[in-house]
Each structure stands twice: as C-alpha cells, then as structure tokens.
Amino acid sequence: MSTTDREAATWLSQEAYDRLQAELNELIAGRPAIAAEINARREEGDLRENGGYHAAREEQGKQEARIRQLQELLRTAQVGEAPAADVVAPGCVVTIHFDDDTDDTETFLLGSREIAATTDLTVYSPESALGKSILGSRPGQTVTYTAPSGAEIKVTVVRFEAYGG
C-alpha cells in the first residue's frame, strides 16, 4: 500500500470495526426473515395495491444497500491507529477558527459517518466542502470554501492530531 493509499484509507478502531462487523452479520442473518415477509405479503393478492408487500420490498432494498456498504467499508478499512501525519488527513481531530476571529473556533473529527457513533465529537466527512478544503493543510494555513448555502467561508487550521477514539 502506498503512502497516499494509507493516508486516504478509512481508519477504524478495533471497537468500531467489530461493531460494524456485528451489524453486517445481523443484517445478513435477517435476510431469510425479510424474504419470508415478502412472500407472505405476495400471497395476500394484488401487488398493485398491496402496501405491505411494497414496504417489505423497500426494506429489503435498504438492507441490501447497507450490507453492500458495510462489506465494502470493512473490506477496505484499516484497523488500528492512523499513521501520524504532518498535514490534515482523514482520522484527525481538527480545530479551526472562522474568518479572522480567533475566538470563533470549532473542533471536529474529519472522518466517515460510520465513526460518528463511536465519538461525541462532531464528524465532518473528508468529502464535505469543509473537509475537502482543509485536507492537506497545516496549522496556521487559511483556506476558503463554498458552503452549501453558497456563502464563501474562510477558515484557518489552528491545530490537529490523530484521533485516539
């Protein structure tokens, strides 16, 4: 794995990995139950007006999508502590200040939404507007990004450290 791949990897603690693996196992174990529900609803008659059937199919679709998402995440995740970085990277706890107001600060974890359940920190995705703008930044560096509202926002990276979650 190259250095760039290691920096771009999704890092999970062993606890987060185990929790996601348990969720995946539970979803896979539930497949027969949802299939039985669909079959039971199908036997009720006309599928065009069968709300229970359509709801069961929709639930099956959501479960299968989550199974695929978890399988891919767990297949590609790195378990352990992210390597120390000299620039902001996924897996860092970052403190920024807005505009030129050093009192207007925010501290958050730059990482995937799956890790949000394992921390009390606010989590921003590296793919978010803010996340993209600060990736590769160093303390003291100021960047500008466009918020979803369309506003241009200037932030300065105050400090960052690897997440110890």
Side-chain angles (χ1 to χ4, degrees):
M1 182 178 283
S2 73
T3 304
T4 304
D5 290 341
R6 287 182 58 79
E7 290 170 3
T10 299
W11 287 89
L12 297 173
S13 66
Q14 186 64 54
E15 177 187 345
Y17 182 90
D18 292 345
R19 182 180 52 78
L20 294 171
Q21 185 64 56
E23 180 185 349
L24 175 62
N25 293 342
E26 187 177 308
L27 287 170
I28 289 172
R31 279 175 165 165
I34 194 75
E37 175 73 15
I38 290 169
N39 285 335
R41 299 296 181 189
R42 183 181 292 129
E43 292 173 3
E44 291 176 356
D46 188 357
L47 297 181
R48 290 175 295 179
E49 297 180 17
N50 188 332
Y53 170 79
H54 294 291
R57 292 287 302 198
E58 185 174 325
E59 184 61 28
Q60 180 187 41
K62 287 178 187 176
Q63 283 186 352
E64 290 301 316
R66 181 67 176 156
I67 286 170
R68 287 189 303 276
Q69 179 187 30
L70 287 172
Q71 286 173 328
E72 181 63 14
L73 175 65
L74 294 172
R75 185 182 68 76
T76 60
Q78 299 294 314
V79 178
E81 289 192 29
D86 59 351
V87 295
V88 173
C92 289
V93 175
V94 183
T95 301
I96 59 170
H97 70 73
F98 293 91
D99 295 318
D100 295 318
D101 183 356
T102 57
D103 293 329
D104 186 8
T105 64
E106 183 175 2
T107 299
F108 56 89
L109 174 61
L110 189 63
S112 67
R113 69 184 177 110
E114 278 75 18
I115 203 167
T118 67
T119 182
D120 291 332
L121 290 167
T122 299
V123 178
Y124 287 106
S125 166
E127 290 82 32
S128 69
L130 173 59
K132 285 181 189 175
S133 71
I134 64 170
L135 279 176
S137 298
R138 289 180 160 66
Q141 188 171 351
T142 300
V143 298
T144 302
Y145 70 96
T146 303
S149 66
E152 289 289 317
I153 299 176
K154 184 170 72 169
V155 299
T156 301
V157 175
V158 177
R159 66 181 166 275
F160 70 93
E161 62 189 16
Y163 175 62

